[in-house]
Amino acid sequence: MLGQRQIHNLALIGFMGTGKSSVGRLVADTLHFTFLDTDHVIEARAGRTICEIFQQQGEAEFRDLEQRIVAELARRKKTVISTGGGLPVNEANLASLKTHALVVCLWASPEKIFERVHDHSHRPLLNEPEPLEKIRRLLVERGPYYRQADVLMNTEFRPLREVAGQVIHQFRLAQGR
Ligand code: S3P
């Protein structure tokens, strides 16, 4: 399957707090690729934060913006793409990423995710009284989408630098190098 695909880019998917942005930056630096974070592109274009977009326009509008950006990514080369945690739930997004990128999903347990994100307030979906419960529920709902990645990688017991090394290894394997 991978053999017929043109793997120009690397896409990191996975739940909030699994390290997509940190790992993505390390990988991009090592490979001399451009780093792109879909949330940052959305914020820059909208001139608003993700929280403001959720509050003022709603989640559905945010998901539309996400899908539009994913469609544009097909033209890119040598780019490490870090995606928002809910992006692969739209199957068109995952299908589109797979046409040009190796898709790697970073994974962690709900408890570890909670530990990593609990003192941040920029994630509208977790700004609620029982964030750990919400993380558990969303992980169950999204599991089937995350598992469609080409590679699943547990980030829980490893430093991010080691995760980045494994991602690069998988990317080189996929490119036949
Ligand atoms: C979301 C994850 C966030 C951001 C938005 C929605 C989600 O991105 O896209 O708050 O639905 O899981 P990160 O995964 O980069 O935090």
Side-chain angles (χ1 to χ4, degrees), residues 24-168:
R25 281 205 177 83
L26 285 171
V27 171
D29 279 354
T30 308
L31 294 177
H32 303 293
F33 277 25
T34 305
F35 174 75
L36 181 150
D37 183 316
T38 57
D39 284 343
H40 293 167
V41 177
I42 290 173
E43 287 184 326
R45 284 204 190 159
R48 295 177 185 173
T49 65
I50 303 287
C51 276
E52 287 166 346
I53 298 170
F54 269 69
Q55 275 162 15
Q56 296 164 14
Q57 290 157 276
E59 181 172 352
E61 176 65 23
F62 172 78
R63 299 298 171 198
D64 277 356
L65 294 170
E66 243 180 358
Q67 184 168 355
R68 250 177 273 163
I69 283 156
V70 169
E72 291 170 25
L73 294 174
R75 293 198 294 268
R76 297 195 72 103
K77 300 233 163 38
K78 295 191 172 212
T79 303
V80 176
I81 303 155
S82 172
T83 63
L87 182 146
V89 173
N90 177 342
E91 302 216 30
N93 286 341
L94 206 47
S96 175
L97 288 175
K98 281 191 176 179
T99 63
H100 58 89
L102 181 76
V103 179
V104 177
C105 179
L106 302 186
W107 188 262
S109 67
E111 293 73 21
K112 180 53 101 184
I113 289 170
F114 178 67
E115 192 184 303
R116 288 177 182 163
V117 304
H118 77 276
D119 55 353
H120 302 170
S121 60
H122 63 276
R123 294 179 167 106
L125 294 179
L126 301 181
N127 288 341
E128 58 166 83
E130 298 285 348
L132 180 56
E133 279 317 304
K134 180 82 180 273
I135 293 169
R136 289 201 176 107
R137 186 164 60 71
L138 283 176
L139 270 177
V140 170
E141 274 173 34
R142 294 177 177 180
Y145 302 100
Y146 291 147
R147 282 193 285 275
Q148 290 176 44
D150 298 307
V151 180
L152 265 174
M153 210 172 275
N154 194 346
T155 66
E156 189 150 345
F157 307 104
R158 305 161 162 179
L160 292 180
R161 192 158 286 283
E162 198 181 308
V163 176
Q166 288 291 323
V167 171
I168 291 166

